[in-house]
Amino acid sequence: MAGAEELERAECHLARWQFRQAAEACRAALATDPANSEAEHLLGRIMCEAGQVGFAALMLQRVAVLRPDDATVWVSLGRAQRMAGELPEAVASLGRALELDPELLSAFVEIAEAHLQEREPDSALEVLSAALQRHPETGMAHFALAGALLDAGRVLDARAAFSRAVELDGAMGVRHERLAAWHRGLGRHDEARRMLEAGLALQPGSPELEHLLAAARGVEAGTRAEDAYIVSLFDRFASGFDERLSELQYRTPYQLMELLTPLLGEDPGSLDILDAGCGTGLSAPLWRDRARRLVGVDLSPGMLARAAELQLYDELHEAELAGYLASVPEAFDLIVCADVLVYFGDVSELFAAMAGALRPGGLLGVSAELHAGDGRELRSTGRWAHGHDELARAAEAAGLRLELTEHPLRLENERMVTGLYGVGSRVTPPHHS
Ligand SMILES: C[S@@+](CC[C@H](N)C(=O)[O-])C[C@H]1O[C@@H](n2cnc3c(N)ncnc32)[C@H](O)[C@@H]1O
């Protein structure tokens, strides 16, 4: 079918919330065949997920006229109407979907959501009980039930339903985090916070939800992210990390190498180098030839396992960074630290530990997210951003002379985040300044 390839590409972009590219692929399909109602349906869904719900509802209404017997079109329309706050219209569209296909789980889930939006959790529970009779083994049905039970104040039942959802489908375990990120990307910060609160009510003590909720509330809970948060986040990301970062046009390891190279001597293979927060080892190929000894340290076993596969490090250590640095005084000629300061709020102790682990005159390269104002900020993404003064003060106190410059970091919601890069050297022995 004409445009099939473009539509497949659009679906892939939609699944990754790359709404601009998804819409472009759909429009390319429509350019070759303006009567392609499947492309129009997909474009409507993309507009809806991209937050243009009113426009999406109008577009999907037109598609429903063209394809009145397609239950999935009525679900898409019902979802757009629900999100636009047109609740009676949404319930009618979703009811039509169920008339056409009485088994369609997404229609049940959307109707239940509409009832929850109307603050009618009992009606939502009724709809979901009908859904579960048809789909007793589907994680999404139990996940939706958990949400409705929570809204009805039945917390223990809700936790049991949530556990069952995760048992049946592991992806349900991080669905609150994902939905919160989606809301946040669209600037719907209250909805993102509510999603994290619901997640935490179902999984009390979850390090990821606790950290993200503190960030969403703008509360700096500690001087750095908890170890448990880092491990849970990066163990989860480890398998797709390199591919994802390449999509985000992440080139910080290269950027740091370019900034550090003019400060290094000519001698190849002579340096003891630490890759601090090495992750999957994206920096390793860049530094291997310069290293007499290349050491990686990271908290996440999942990331370290990927780094080990490269067979480029002489040593890999599973350890918290500041603690590890304190255990290796004056051991390194160069420390590279790419995209790790974002998990530290107050970097004073970390910089002091880095200075202590560097030989006198040793070099350091770090990257941070730029905070335009003074000081630092814990962003709703769960990452910290640092201002020039904040990094400069901490570096000076630690006996590090860092030159700070701004360069691109990576894409976030299709916009390039500006990074603050610091390169320089240890100038005074620590504790003697
Ligand atoms: C965004 S990744 C960057 C990885 C790698 N430097 C790169 O450029 O691809 C951040 C890494 O820092 C690690 N990390 C964060 N906080 C840490 C800490 N306190 N101690 C050790 N590793 C930490 C994480 O586990 C993760 O692998």
Side-chain angles (χ1 to χ4, degrees), residues 110 117 150 159 161 192 211 221 238 247 260 268 282 287 345 362 366 373 402 424:
E110 284 297 332
Q117 250 171 272
L150 199 61
R159 286 184 191 157
H211 180 80
E247 275 173 19
L260 283 162
L282 290 176
W287 293 107
V366 297
L402 284 193

Side-chain angles (χ1 to χ4, degrees), residues 224-227 230-231 233-235 241-242 245 250 252-253 256 275-283 297-301 303-304 313 317-324 336-344 350 367 383 410:
R224 65 178 170 82
E226 295 274 333
D227 295 1
I230 296 292
V231 173
L233 180 71
F234 284 100
D235 275 2
F241 184 83
D242 296 6
L245 280 237
Y250 173 70
T252 297
L256 280 177
D275 185 358
C278 62
T280 55
L282 290 176
S283 293
V297 60
D298 203 286
L299 262 172
S300 154
M303 297 294 265
L304 284 166
Y313 291 95
H317 298 280
E318 183 185 320
E320 197 288 308
L321 189 50
Y324 171 80
V336 287
C337 187
D339 210 19
V340 179
L341 295 193
V342 291
Y343 300 104
F344 286 78
L350 180 67
S367 72
R383 290 190 287 269
R410 63 181 129 61

Side-chain angles (χ1 to χ4, degrees), residues 50-69:
Q52 297 189 33
V53 288
F55 181 64
L58 282 177
M59 198 167 174
L60 289 162
Q61 246 154 12
R62 197 186 110 84
V63 184
V65 172
L66 297 171
R67 301 167 65 147
D69 297 329

Side-chain angles (χ1 to χ4, degrees), residues 161-240:
F162 179 75
S163 300
R164 183 77 186 118
V166 179
E167 235 170 65
L168 290 165
D169 177 355
M172 294 297 128
V174 288
R175 195 163 162 79
H176 294 99
E177 289 89 325
R178 291 207 22 96
L179 289 172
W182 171 60
H183 282 305
R184 191 176 63 231
L186 296 178
R188 300 192 297 232
H189 293 286
D190 288 348
E191 283 91 337
R193 190 175 30 75
R194 272 197 291 276
M195 193 51 67
L196 296 169
E197 282 164 353
L200 201 54
L202 295 171
Q203 305 169 76
S206 153
E208 274 194 58
L209 289 165
E210 274 180 354
H211 180 80
L212 290 172
L213 193 54
R217 289 174 175 155
V219 185
E220 217 183 81
T223 54
R224 65 178 170 82
E226 295 274 333
D227 295 1
Y229 166 68
I230 296 292
V231 173
S232 132
L233 180 71
F234 284 100
D235 275 2
R236 180 155 62 82
F237 279 141
S239 65

Side-chain angles (χ1 to χ4, degrees), residues 75-113:
V75 173
S76 305
L77 173 59
R79 177 170 168 79
Q81 288 168 323
R82 173 181 74 71
M83 287 168 63
E86 300 163 6
L87 298 180
E89 290 83 351
V91 172
S93 299
L94 295 161
R96 178 78 193 118
L98 281 183
E99 275 167 27
L100 291 164
D101 180 353
E103 303 295 315
L104 197 59
L105 178 60
S106 52
F108 283 106
V109 171
E110 284 297 332
I111 296 179
E113 282 293 332

Side-chain angles (χ1 to χ4, degrees), residues 224 256 260 272-278 295-298 319-368 386 391 394-402 404 420-431:
R224 65 178 170 82
L256 280 177
L260 283 162
D272 291 340
I273 302 178
L274 177 68
D275 185 358
C278 62
V295 178
V297 60
D298 203 286
E320 197 288 308
L321 189 50
Y324 171 80
L325 288 162
S327 73
V328 285
E330 303 201 348
F332 294 102
D333 303 301
L334 168 65
I335 298 177
V336 287
C337 187
D339 210 19
V340 179
L341 295 193
V342 291
Y343 300 104
F344 286 78
D346 182 354
V347 294
S348 332
E349 264 183 42
L350 180 67
F351 276 8
M354 284 175 165
L358 279 175
R359 300 193 173 117
L363 293 173
L364 173 67
V366 297
S367 72
H386 297 84
L391 290 195
E396 196 186 335
L400 296 164
R401 186 183 297 130
L402 284 193
L404 298 171
L420 183 57
Y421 288 72
V423 295
S425 57
R426 173 184 156 184
V427 284
T428 42
H431 317 302

